[in-house]
Amino acid sequence: ETGVTQSPTHLIKTRGQQVTLRCSSQSGHNTVSWYQQALGQGPQFIFQYYREEENGRGNFPPRFSGLQFPNYSSELNVNALELDDSALYLCASSGDNRGVGGYTFGSGTRLTVV
Amino acid sequence: AQSVTQLGSHVSVSEGALVLLRCNYSSSVPPYLFWYVQYPNQGLQLLLKYTSAATLVKGINGFEAEFKKSETSFHLTKPSAHMSDAAEYFCAVSGKGSGGSNYKLTFGKGTLLTVNP
């Protein structure tokens, strides 16, 4: 079975720009979550999508938005980038929205805002 | 609401020595608990999980963890450290998030394990 794949792996953007990060979930998984991991910190929950609908959100402003597609892949969009948005963005998929089976993480997208 | 505290941001052991990484959690409902490992410039790999079955959980690469409800702990152990175990380890609890029916993961700040030859 294929795992979670994220693209791109690295990205450099200028403050104020917009960015889109992509994630393909593991085969058979219908739930996708996004996390932000700042340097030296644990991942922080941004939001989760279950069957194409947002199913919970962490403490992130509305300029962080997302989508989930019928094939359960997902996008994370960030508008009006700020320097503090520089982080590793991780996508995780699971076969249920309770995570009983565990979450499979991708390798992440390293975003640098300059 | 749930939270995770990992005691010790950095643990150093000798090759062949016991590895003990500490994790305490807070959760208002019976938790699902996880340990993940992260190698440099990579994502998170699941080591093991507790989902209310056996309290002693065995994972990959010789790691295991014991769920102790009375102590609200889920410490990670490995009898004999190997050089390849050097990485960052994250404990996480899964509990109901706000604004939806999702069960989000709440992570600790991580423990960096170094293994000395």
Side-chain angles (χ1 to χ4, degrees), chain B:
Chain B
Q2 63 265 4
S3 65
V4 172
T5 301
Q6 291 185 239
L7 298 175
S9 59
H10 187 195
V11 170
S12 182
V13 300
S14 298
E15 192 173 18
L18 171 72
V19 175
L20 171 61
L21 304 183
R22 300 178 187 275
C23 172
N24 288 89
Y25 71 92
S26 171
S27 178
S28 57
V29 296
Y32 299 148
L33 294 160
F34 305 82
W35 275 99
Y36 284 89
V37 60
Q38 186 175 37
Y39 297 98
N41 299 314
Q42 293 190 25
L44 301 174
Q45 181 183 7
L46 180 65
L47 278 177
L48 49 80
K49 63 181 187 284
Y50 167 77
T51 55
S52 72
T55 56
L56 181 62
V57 181
K58 295 187 183 298
I60 62 171
N61 301 337
F63 285 94
E64 63 181 37
E66 186 172 8
F67 172 68
K68 292 188 176 180
K69 184 178 179 180
S70 61
E71 298 178 8
T72 61
S73 68
F74 191 57
H75 302 330
L76 182 71
T77 60
K78 181 174 181 177
S80 177
H82 192 272
M83 296 296 288
S84 61
D85 294 327
E88 184 112 35
Y89 291 79
F90 291 95
C91 180
V93 60
S94 176
K96 201 165 186 178
S98 60
S101 61
N102 70 295
Y103 279 66
K104 67 172 185 175
L105 283 174
T106 298
F107 286 87
K109 292 186 176 182
T111 298
L112 180 65
L113 175 67
T114 57
V115 182
N116 304 307

Side-chain angles (χ1 to χ4, degrees), chain A residues 1-57:
Chain A
E1 59 183 16
T2 58
V4 176
T5 57
Q6 293 186 242
S7 62
T9 54
H10 295 83
L11 201 54
I12 299 175
K13 287 287 190 179
T14 302
R15 188 172 52 183
Q17 285 188 314
Q18 178 266 343
V19 69
T20 297
L21 310 182
R22 295 179 174 82
C23 171
S24 293
S25 60
Q26 181 170 313
S27 177
H29 285 185
N30 57 17
T31 302
V32 172
S33 304
W34 286 91
Y35 290 81
Q36 181 195 66
Q37 186 179 19
L39 202 60
Q41 300 294 318
Q44 297 290 316
F45 175 73
I46 302 175
F47 45 55
Q48 181 184 87
Y49 279 83
Y50 174 62
R51 295 184 175 178
E52 302 180 56
E53 292 192 3
E54 188 178 291
N55 190 38
R57 189 178 184 91

Side-chain angles (χ1 to χ4, degrees), chain A residues 59-92:
Chain A
N59 294 324
F60 282 82
R63 60 190 184 83
F64 285 77
S65 63
L67 285 172
Q68 187 180 32
F69 300 100
N71 65 355
Y72 303 129
S73 65
S74 177
E75 287 182 355
L76 165 65
N77 299 290
V78 187
N79 293 322
L81 283 167
E82 301 177 359
L83 296 179
D84 285 347
D85 295 333
S86 295
L88 180 67
Y89 288 85
L90 295 165
C91 172

